[in-house]
Amino acid sequence: MCSSIDDAIEIAAASLASGLAIEASSYPKPGNVSPIGDAKNLTHWFFIATSASMAIELEKLIRDIVYSNAPCPKEGIGEKIYKLYTTSSMLQGGRNTHLGYTILVTPIAVAMGLLIRELGSAGGVEVEEILNLSYDIARSCGSPEDFRWISKAILEASPTYVLNYIGVGPDIYNADRTRATFWDFVETFRRHDLLLNEIWDGYQRAYLSYKIICEDYPWKLYEKISIAFISIGSSAVDTVIAREKGYKVALDVMNIFRKASTIISSDSKLWLKYLEILDRELRESRINPGSIADIVAVGTGLCVMEKALSSK
């Protein structure tokens, strides 16, 4: 295999990882982490550090797929998620900046490995094709050990909401007793988690984010990310808000985002100022649309990757 394949592996890994840092660096995104404000005791540099670590780990994951002959990771998706999450946490002290992002991006990284192996670079491949393949991988590349590994990652992230789902599906606290694939996990919990539902729906919101963000790329990138953030938030109830503040608050925020989306669509020059005010209000109320941010981060990484591979 030639060096262009190795170049493609590195570009794909760095691009996907960069989505996390670029999204966290954009402003304004009401209630979310940015260089001027923290959210949920998470500060901006945590995401920069995580992104740097994730680039290295994604490169290893994609390279393993490229230089193997198997259509799926031999360990299954679950173990890949666990290793990617835990190793990428080290530079910032193990804080949960990226569990949701990791669950979303792992099937995409596997898809890129398969495409680079097949095509030699994956330059020029449509993002829609990449996401379709990612969906197929999520469905078919399962291992009976996936649930155990994903549960381990969830417990290390220590989200307080886990107790809310006892009895909903397999017991995360006793995962060693359960044999379930990644897709079983998605299917069981998707009604309670926007990100799992995003995978179930074939990454439709991530694709919409990518389309918005890549318009006029690279100019006004942060503004496009803000617009994508509002667009996705105006059509989905954020899981993080629903778990921490209740479903009604999450529904109210979605309706506020709809108003913001209307202002943006009207071409009013005041939309940025309105988002800045809304950001202060949500931050003061400790309301963080973290699930929306993960989806937009994936769309950002996809945009960067497409442009980088096509210009290579």
Side-chain angles (χ1 to χ4, degrees):
M1 291 187 176
C2 62
S3 60
S4 63
I5 290 180
D6 292 325
D7 291 344
I9 293 169
E10 293 169 2
I11 289 170
S15 298
L16 290 174
S18 76
L20 193 69
I22 296 170
E23 190 280 333
S25 299
S26 61
Y27 175 83
K29 309 184 310 294
N32 198 235
V33 172
S34 74
I36 69 165
D38 301 346
K40 285 183 60 186
N41 299 317
L42 299 174
T43 194
H44 176 245
W45 80 262
F46 294 170
F47 292 83
I48 305 302
T50 299
S51 179
S53 299
M54 185 170 278
I56 297 170
E57 297 308 312
L58 282 171
E59 191 270 342
K60 294 176 185 176
L61 191 163
I62 295 171
R63 186 174 299 279
D64 284 348
I65 299 298
V66 170
Y67 287 99
S68 73
N69 294 317
C72 297
K74 61 181 180 181
E75 305 94 338
I77 295 292
E79 187 172 350
K80 291 295 187 186
I81 288 171
Y82 175 77
K83 289 180 178 178
L84 182 57
Y85 172 76
T86 54
T87 309
S88 299
S89 303
M90 292 180 180
L91 287 185
Q92 39 83 354
R95 296 166 181 85
N96 180 16
T97 56
H98 60 296
L99 178 58
Y101 185 78
T102 301
I103 290 173
L104 285 174
V105 83
T106 299
I108 297 173
V110 174
M112 288 308 301
L114 293 176
L115 288 168
I116 293 169
R117 183 208 301 169
E118 178 183 351
L119 302 174
S121 71
V125 176
E126 296 288 338
V127 165
E128 190 170 14
E129 181 181 345
I130 294 169
L131 293 178
N132 287 340
L133 181 56
S134 303
Y135 173 76
D136 291 341
I137 287 164
R139 287 180 61 93
S140 61
C141 284
S143 160
E145 297 298 313
D146 283 345
F147 182 74
R148 180 172 68 85
W149 284 107
I150 295 169
S151 296
K152 196 173 179 181
I154 291 171
L155 292 176
E156 289 193 16
S158 300
T160 55
Y161 59 78
V162 172
L163 292 173
N164 298 339
Y165 298 106
I166 292 178
V168 171
D171 186 356
I172 289 172
Y173 288 99
N174 294 290
D176 287 343
R177 303 177 184 177
T178 302
R179 294 174 65 81
T181 67
F182 178 64
W183 192 252
D184 293 333
F185 172 74
V186 169
E187 187 171 21
T188 299
F189 292 103
R190 70 182 180 86
R191 292 178 179 83
H192 309 281
D193 191 293
L194 177 61
L195 301 184
L196 298 182
N197 194 64
E198 174 69 5
I199 297 171
W200 176 270
D201 284 340
Y203 291 92
Q204 293 180 16
R205 294 181 182 89
Y207 182 70
L208 174 59
S209 294
Y210 147 78
K211 293 288 285 185
I212 294 170
I213 293 163
C214 253
E215 184 182 3
D216 299 326
Y217 179 91
W219 314 114
K220 296 184 178 181
L221 179 62
Y222 286 171
E223 286 189 16
K224 294 296 184 180
I225 290 172
S226 295
I227 292 171
F229 189 85
I230 294 299
S231 178
I232 302 305
S234 69
S235 62
V237 173
D238 187 89
T239 302
V240 173
I241 299 175
R243 287 168 177 162
E244 296 183 350
K245 300 293 185 178
Y247 185 79
K248 183 180 182 303
V249 173
L251 194 61
D252 289 343
V253 171
M254 183 181 73
N255 289 329
I256 291 170
F257 278 21
R258 285 179 177 171
K259 179 181 177 182
S261 183
T262 300
I263 293 172
I264 292 170
S265 299
S266 70
D267 290 329
S268 169
K269 296 180 179 179
L270 297 176
W271 72 268
L272 274 172
K273 181 59 65 177
Y274 178 73
L275 293 194
E276 290 172 3
I277 295 170
L278 186 56
D279 177 61
R280 288 196 297 271
E281 291 177 352
L282 293 188
R283 201 177 300 282
E284 288 172 1
S285 300
R286 298 182 65 82
I287 294 173
N288 171 33
S291 297
I292 303 300
D294 286 332
I295 292 171
V296 174
V298 169
T300 303
L302 288 167
C303 174
V304 174
M305 181 174 68
E306 179 196 56
K307 298 301 184 182
L309 286 172
S310 63
S311 65
K312 179 177 169 295

